[in-house]
Amino acid sequence: MLKLKASDVSSNEFGSAWLYGLAEAMQSTMLARNGVGIAAPQVYVSKRVIIVASKANLRYPDAPEMTPIVMVNPQILARSEQNNLGEEGCLSVPNERGQVPRTNEIFIRYFDLEGQQIELMLAGFPARIVQHEIDHLNGILFVERL
Ligand code: K3U
Ligand code: ZN
């Protein structure tokens, strides 16, 4: 499952009880495991849904506190040129951490659970989490980027 390319959520799935249920299952798994993000394939659903929930922590003391954002069919539209190394872990790769190069700033487009399109610029730790989670949607684990 973690090696598959996940499918887009289709227009008839927006606003459905199924999609809300998936987001709830993802959020409760993420909170139970003390994660700062999660992707649907990590709960065995090969669909393009991620949650991003940055918070300050030992490795990223200046990270912003974010109310968890559910992003459906997220896309990176533009990237800054600068790459930074930063520590990552993964709920699906227990006991492994590593320094992963990621673009510092990204401009993204995604849809909320009801299908409203949102565009957002992110920098630093939240941008890192989004890149890690979109990798999950494309079947890539952070250990492949070390
Ligand atoms: O690395 C973790 C972490 C937890 C709290 C604060 C800071 C870091 C736990 S692993 C994690 O949250 C992954 C979740 C995953 F695997 F489901 F995607 C997200 C992540 C952590 C660090 C960098 C990028 C993404
Ligand atoms: Zn992960």
Side-chain angles (χ1 to χ4, degrees), residues 42 90-91 132 136:
Q42 294 180 282
C90 181
L91 306 181
H132 178 114
H136 274 302

Side-chain angles (χ1 to χ4, degrees), residues 1-6 40-47 136 139:
M1 173 66 74
L2 288 173
K3 296 308 297 168
L4 298 176
K5 185 172 160 60
Q42 294 180 282
V43 298
Y44 309 103
V45 177
S46 193
K47 284 281 184 177
H136 274 302

Side-chain angles (χ1 to χ4, degrees), residues 2 37-39 42 88-93 102 132-133 136 140-142:
L2 288 173
I38 194 163
Q42 294 180 282
E88 296 190 14
C90 181
L91 306 181
S92 304
V93 188
R102 301 281 189 195
H132 178 114
E133 303 309 338
H136 274 302
I140 298 166
L141 296 174
F142 81 95

Side-chain angles (χ1 to χ4, degrees), residues 42 60 77 106:
Q42 294 180 282
Y60 300 94
L77 300 180
I106 52 174

